[in-house]
Amino acid sequence: MPIRILFATTTGKTEDVATRLAELIGPSASVQDVGDLDATEELEASGDLICCVPTWNTGADSMRSGTAWDSHVESIPDLQMIGRTVAIVGLGDSSSYSDYFCDAMEELYTAFIQSGARMVGRVSPDGYTFSESKSVVNGLFCGLPVDEDSEPDLTDERLVQWVKQLKSEAPGMF
């Protein structure tokens, strides 16, 4: 079953990263705007997922993406995702929003954990400049943080390395 890359965006940057990620993965990847889902339950019918989410509602306790993901995140824990592999990419701005860097990634991560999904793609915070992030869970980012605002020159290499990591952690995904 192909890898489904879902994104939500307000500026187009998250869609761009999702598309670049799909190009790295190859023909087994499809890209879709999560806003095009009719219901959250459609995620159960998917194979493995890569979810791309920006953080807009900085400092919020919930609904941190400020995108269509917010209409799904509360229902994801009710899904039956056992046997599915999920990875998350979070976009944020480490300079302007250093205290909330990629916070929305944690919200999706927690929801998918509660649904029984197998989460992969955790990344060390080494090499990132930020003050705080709810997405650092047990010492690692719960997915791949990407900063297209302050560090766009690092994105391509981070994506390449992350895809290699995913292939190692979850070879059945590819």
Side-chain angles (χ1 to χ4, degrees), residues 90-120:
L91 274 75
D93 182 344
S94 63
S95 292
S96 298
Y97 301 99
S98 184
D99 292 340
Y100 311 102
F101 184 55
C102 295
D103 276 357
M105 196 165 45
E106 180 276 331
E107 201 165 3
L108 276 182
Y109 175 83
T110 298
F112 277 110
I113 286 281
Q114 292 170 347
S115 75
R118 175 179 174 244
M119 303 302 294
V120 296

Side-chain angles (χ1 to χ4, degrees), residues 3-106:
I3 298 170
R4 191 170 180 190
I5 301 173
L6 295 168
F7 72 90
T9 190
T10 54
T11 64
K13 290 179 183 176
T14 309
E15 179 178 12
D16 178 59
V17 168
T19 301
R20 288 156 63 189
L21 186 58
E23 290 169 1
L24 287 171
I25 293 170
S28 67
S30 66
V31 179
Q32 180 182 4
D33 188 327
V34 74
D36 292 340
L37 294 178
D38 292 324
T40 306
E41 291 74 24
E42 288 181 45
L43 296 175
E44 285 181 325
S46 298
D48 297 327
L49 299 173
I50 297 176
C51 303
C52 302
V53 60
T55 299
W56 278 94
N57 293 329
T58 55
D61 289 328
S62 63
M63 308 294 179
R64 290 177 276 190
S65 82
T67 66
W69 276 117
D70 292 343
S71 64
H72 297 286
V73 73
E74 290 182 351
S75 299
I76 291 171
D78 298 328
L79 300 177
Q80 296 300 313
M81 297 294 288
I82 294 169
R84 302 279 173 33
T85 301
V86 177
I88 301 173
V89 175
L91 274 75
D93 182 344
S94 63
S95 292
S96 298
Y97 301 99
S98 184
D99 292 340
Y100 311 102
F101 184 55
C102 295
D103 276 357
M105 196 165 45
E106 180 276 331

